[in-house]
Amino acid sequence: MRLAPCLAVLLAGLTRLAPSAAQPSPSAPTLRWSTGETNPTRALVGLDDDDDDDDGVPDSQQSPAPPADDDRVALTLEGIPTGAVAVTVSGGLRVRDPSGALVERANLPVRRGAATVELVGVAASERPDDASVELVAGAQRWRVAVTVAAVTVLHGDNAPVYAHRDAVMISRQVTNDETLPRRAAWGERSPDLENVRAEVWDPTPGAEASVRWESSGTPASFVSDPTALRARLAEVAMARPDAAAPWRSGYVRLVGDEVDQRAPGVEAQTLRVALRDRVRVRYRRAGVAGEATTDVRVGRPGREDGPMAARMVRARVLVLRDRAQSSGGVPLVGGSEAAALDIGRRQVAIANEVYGQCGVTWGDPSGDVARVVDPPPTTMIAFGDDHGALASGGEVRLRVNGVAMPPLVTRAGWRPVDTAMAMAAMLQARGYRARVTSNPRTTYGARPSADVLVLDRAGRWTTLSPVPGSALSTDLRQGAELAVVDFSDGVDEFNNQNSTSGTLEERALIKPLIDDDVTTMEMIVINRFSRGTRIGEAFVRGDGGSIGNGFLIDRAGIAAEREAWTQSHEAGHILLDQPWHPDNMGPDRPWLLMDADASLGTVAGPKRISTEECARIRSRNGPDAPSPLMQRYDLGAASPDAPRYSAWPAQPRYPRPSASPEATGASAVTATPAVTDAPASQYGVRWGG
Ligand SMILES: [Ca+2]
Ligand SMILES: [Ca+2]
Ligand SMILES: [Ca+2]
Ligand SMILES: [Ca+2]
Ligand SMILES: [Zn+2]
């Protein structure tokens, strides 16, 4: 890595003061550093150990440096007559030659009186200014003494985040709880290991230093302008015990939404991020040209399998109209098609803020994930609804799209599913598509009821109606009912006895709207529930419900937005494959997303997902699950060399104590957040399935 002694002697002979005292004139040759300084004599270059191209190989170990690398330092020589620039570097610096290779000497072309020189820091300095770059253009010579400084993000246990194989994550704790150290001694650990701090190795003596933190979006985090910052923390002070140790900042917590970003008491310690954002730390030293930076990503690329690998829920948000658009229907929320769509998209944006904790996104809120749709017509018939009684014998008479079907004769003793199968067979024989679903038995029912969804040959909804002058069914014990959606009096909600089957009106809505694809989850936006006892209801496949992967949310649930996180709570039942709530069987922890009845628009509001819940979501609905609701997301491309760097580096890349001996007693404590002692009236109620 270092230059041979004979070459170093040669370079020393070439050393000359930079022509900084020269009179500025258009023709005066000028060396301009990437950060704007002209003719500097000293500069900082960052050690390029991050992984800007996300290929699993530290950029400093790649030659040529990847095009996405933003740690290359571009110097510009201006006002040079002709010819070429001879560049020689020493110490932990390399120069990029015309082929892109990182070398110690290069001749670079001059075009129109200018040349660009690109430097990369590949090894951290041991002493101040122990690296250099020499540039010779004709009779002009420059020498810049360089310190290669290393900027690193540390986890809560002070272990480095090596960007090519590690990442940072959105906090799962209440933002201003005691697991975020307000002031941290140099060697202090954070009880929450997901808190991060900056470490800067710069051997130059000095009494104070600071860094900037920035987060910015990427196409994978649905930001159209990646150059715009999402959030920043300016001038975060650092300290070190002596110049033989790196500088360290206090702890910073990565948060997913505005409320957390403004958490009282820790405003200077929160940085807002989204899944697959970039988090950058920037370091400069006064009086010296240049800047050292490093980037880490929020979550790992989706090609990986670990707990941080990015995943996308295949979600669809359907905002319903009160009736078909062709009949003058208008959306049930928002008042206009555009406003309704906007509401649907905002639900996706909010869910992304919450599920970022698990490395999960619902997709691009501005994409086609949200739609405004017509309610289904009466396209389903139910047998033995609610009670599940056996048939006593009779006839079912039905019209499909106005055409009378032959009477279906039921036999005494048929179960609802037998009647449904017979009806389906009769309809299929006439060219319709009929799908039979059996509903779980209600608590008080005799046995499961059954539904028949009737589509035409092309798979479109049909309209079912009774035959005029006839009863729909003369079988008085089992009975038959048409499944009608009527929003004028709200949607009948289920109670604890029939929650697994859902009410007939709920099934009339959900079964036609949920497509056959069991790997999607639909969120269905309605006006209200009839009795107003709840604001969202999930239908969870795992508890035996025949309706898979869907949930209803009403206007109140929508209006609660970032207070109840209703959309995320109901989806949580589906993704966790779990109908009950943690507080049904354990202590009340109202800050948890899956708490049954919490609602609070503060940092203590119900939106935290535990590590165990995130793991369960991945095991139940990860890409290797039997019918997964989540896909790999933002896969990226790994370098074939990546496996060689799976444990890199073997030794720290600059002098730093190993992670173990610096514990200060605050070992891996999983602290319990303080219970917010709010009056009950502050809590709204969110009932769920
Ligand atoms: Ca790389
Ligand atoms: Ca880089
Ligand atoms: Ca970078
Ligand atoms: Ca109704
Ligand atoms: Zn619930």
Side-chain angles (χ1 to χ4, degrees):
M1 291 306 209
R2 307 233 165 247
L3 294 178
C6 56
L7 182 56
V9 170
L10 173 68
L11 291 176
L14 292 173
T15 302
R16 179 183 277 205
L17 281 181
S20 52
Q23 287 295 321
S25 76
S27 59
T30 305
L31 168 62
R32 190 181 304 278
W33 205 263
S34 57
T35 39
E37 298 85 352
T38 51
N39 299 324
T41 57
R42 297 176 72 205
L44 276 182
V45 169
L47 175 63
D48 192 9
D49 273 359
D50 65 2
D51 186 16
D52 290 313
D53 62 341
D54 215 19
D55 71 341
V57 178
D59 297 344
S60 64
Q61 308 300 303
Q62 281 172 270
S63 182
D69 192 13
D70 54 22
D71 300 291
R72 278 202 302 264
V73 176
L75 319 184
T76 319
L77 287 171
E78 293 155 6
I80 309 172
T82 57
V85 180
V87 185
T88 311
V89 295
S90 74
L93 268 189
R94 293 294 178 272
V95 58
R96 198 168 180 263
D97 78 5
S99 77
L102 299 181
V103 296
E104 295 178 357
R105 288 207 251 188
N107 280 308
L108 301 174
V110 174
R111 295 200 180 89
R112 295 183 187 174
T116 299
V117 177
E118 291 185 306
L119 304 177
V120 177
V122 296
S125 285
E126 293 171 15
R127 295 174 305 282
D129 301 334
D130 67 358
S132 66
V133 55
E134 302 260 357
L135 305 121
V136 179
Q140 292 293 329
R141 296 177 180 193
W142 293 262
R143 180 180 192 277
V144 185
V146 172
T147 300
V148 180
V151 181
T152 308
V153 174
L154 305 184
H155 289 296
D157 58 359
N158 294 324
V161 179
Y162 289 111
H164 67 289
R165 57 181 169 91
D166 198 358
V168 294
M169 292 292 276
I170 295 172
S171 171
R172 282 178 267 244
Q173 305 293 327
V174 175
T175 308
N176 54 7
D177 74 5
E178 73 280 5
T179 65
L180 175 61
R182 303 302 196 268
R183 301 144 77 81
W186 188 86
E188 188 174 333
R189 297 175 178 215
S190 157
D192 176 6
L193 298 182
E194 278 166 4
N195 292 329
V196 291
R197 71 197 306 190
E199 181 172 271
V200 175
W201 168 251
D202 178 355
T204 310
E208 53 187 38
S210 66
V211 286
R212 291 165 171 262
W213 289 79
E214 293 174 352
S215 62
S216 55
T218 62
S221 57
F222 316 117
V223 165
S224 54
D225 178 9
T227 64
L229 293 186
R230 191 187 297 278
R232 59 194 285 234
L233 287 171
E235 309 310 321
V236 176
M238 297 189 293
R240 63 182 176 186
D242 53 65
W247 299 96
R248 283 179 182 173
S249 75
Y251 283 102
V252 170
R253 182 161 259 172
L254 305 178
V255 298
D257 67 41
E258 266 172 42
V259 175
D260 285 341
Q261 189 176 18
R262 293 193 308 264
V266 294
E267 293 91 340
Q269 290 182 268
T270 58
L271 189 71
R272 188 171 170 191
V273 299
L275 180 64
R276 297 302 284 155
D277 268 9
R278 297 200 325 177
V279 173
R280 169 172 296 185
V281 179
R282 303 170 58 171
Y283 168 70
R284 292 193 184 201
R285 177 149 44 81
V288 173
E291 179 178 60
T293 70
T294 198
D295 293 276
V296 293
R297 300 291 292 272
V298 179
R300 295 292 304 158
R303 63 178 181 263
E304 298 185 0
D305 293 321
M308 293 190 285
R311 297 288 182 260
M312 180 156 75
V313 179
R314 299 188 58 207
R316 292 194 308 167
V317 176
L318 306 176
V319 182
L320 283 163
R321 301 186 183 96
D322 60 351
R323 55 186 187 275
Q325 193 173 30
S326 57
S327 310
V330 294
L332 292 169
V333 296
S336 71
E337 295 277 322
L341 192 58
D342 197 49
I343 285 169
R345 288 172 166 171
R346 210 156 60 234
Q347 295 293 308
V348 176
I350 294 168
N352 285 348
E353 294 170 1
V354 172
Y355 280 93
Q357 293 172 76
C358 293
V360 170
T361 179
W362 285 27
D364 185 353
S366 67
D368 60 2
V369 61
R371 286 189 285 140
V372 183
V373 298
D374 286 347
T378 303
T379 191
M380 199 173 82
I381 183 168
F383 297 104
D385 178 46
D386 215 33
H387 50 74
L390 297 177
S392 56
E395 276 184 1
V396 182
R397 291 174 175 267
L398 180 69
R399 292 193 304 173
V400 180
N401 290 339
V403 178
M405 298 292 113
L408 176 76
V409 178
T410 63
R411 300 248 169 87
W414 276 9
R415 298 167 301 166
V417 68
D418 300 323
T419 312
M421 297 292 282
M423 172 62 79
M426 186 268 282
L427 292 169
Q428 283 160 357
R430 278 154 188 80
Y432 296 100
R433 298 190 195 175
R435 197 156 74 223
V436 174
T437 44
S438 184
N439 301 305
R441 189 180 66 83
T442 56
T443 306
Y444 44 78
R447 49 182 55 74
S449 66
D451 303 323
V452 185
L453 179 68
V454 186
L455 307 175
D456 69 11
R457 276 173 207 277
R460 291 172 301 215
W461 292 327
T462 60
T463 299
L464 308 182
S465 55
V467 173
S470 303
L472 184 63
S473 173
T474 58
D475 186 326
L476 297 178
R477 191 162 69 188
Q478 184 170 73
E481 282 185 75
L482 295 177
V484 178
V485 175
D486 176 7
F487 290 120
S488 63
D489 59 352
V491 173
D492 290 340
E493 63 260 54
F494 59 51
N495 55 42
N496 287 339
Q497 277 75 44
N498 61 12
S499 66
T500 49
S501 66
T503 65
L504 181 59
E505 188 170 24
E506 286 172 333
R507 302 197 316 269
L509 191 54
I510 289 174
K511 285 188 179 178
L513 284 173
I514 290 184
D515 56 27
D516 287 338
D517 186 350
V518 294
T519 67
T520 62
M521 175 178 71
E522 348 297 297
M523 164 174 165
I524 297 168
V525 181
I526 62 170
N527 53 348
R528 65 185 176 87
F529 291 98
S530 297
R531 295 192 305 282
T533 59
R534 50 191 79 217
I535 59 182
E537 283 189 350
F539 294 85
V540 182
R541 190 181 52 202
D543 70 338
S546 64
I547 305 169
N549 310 333
F551 63 94
L552 301 176
I553 181 169
D554 78 355
R555 283 175 186 153
I558 294 285
E561 286 209 330
R562 290 180 176 89
E563 292 165 16
W565 289 275
T566 315
Q567 76 298 106
S568 299
H569 174 93
E570 301 302 339
H573 283 303
I574 294 168
L575 294 169
L576 285 160
D577 201 3
Q578 191 164 271
W580 41 267
H581 303 107
D583 47 335
N584 293 154
M585 27 219 332
D588 195 29
R589 287 172 292 173
W591 58 89
L592 293 183
L593 177 67
M594 297 316 294
D595 187 81
D597 54 9
S599 174
L600 190 64
T602 74
V603 290
K607 60 182 166 185
R608 311 297 168 187
I609 311 179
S610 70
T611 311
E612 295 72 25
E613 286 171 327
C614 290
R616 184 180 168 98
I617 287 171
R618 283 170 184 271
S619 74
R620 293 299 169 121
N621 279 297
D624 299 324
S627 55
L629 286 169
M630 301 196 303
Q631 306 288 315
R632 296 175 184 276
Y633 178 66
D634 193 26
L635 277 68
S639 160
D641 295 333
R644 283 168 40 205
Y645 294 92
S646 60
W648 186 96
Q651 300 293 325
R653 296 275 286 159
Y654 50 87
R656 68 186 307 275
S658 62
S660 47
E662 57 191 66
T664 55
S667 55
V669 176
T670 307
T672 307
V675 174
T676 307
D677 208 7
S681 61
Q682 276 195 1
Y683 293 86
V685 177
R686 173 186 55 191
W687 302 87

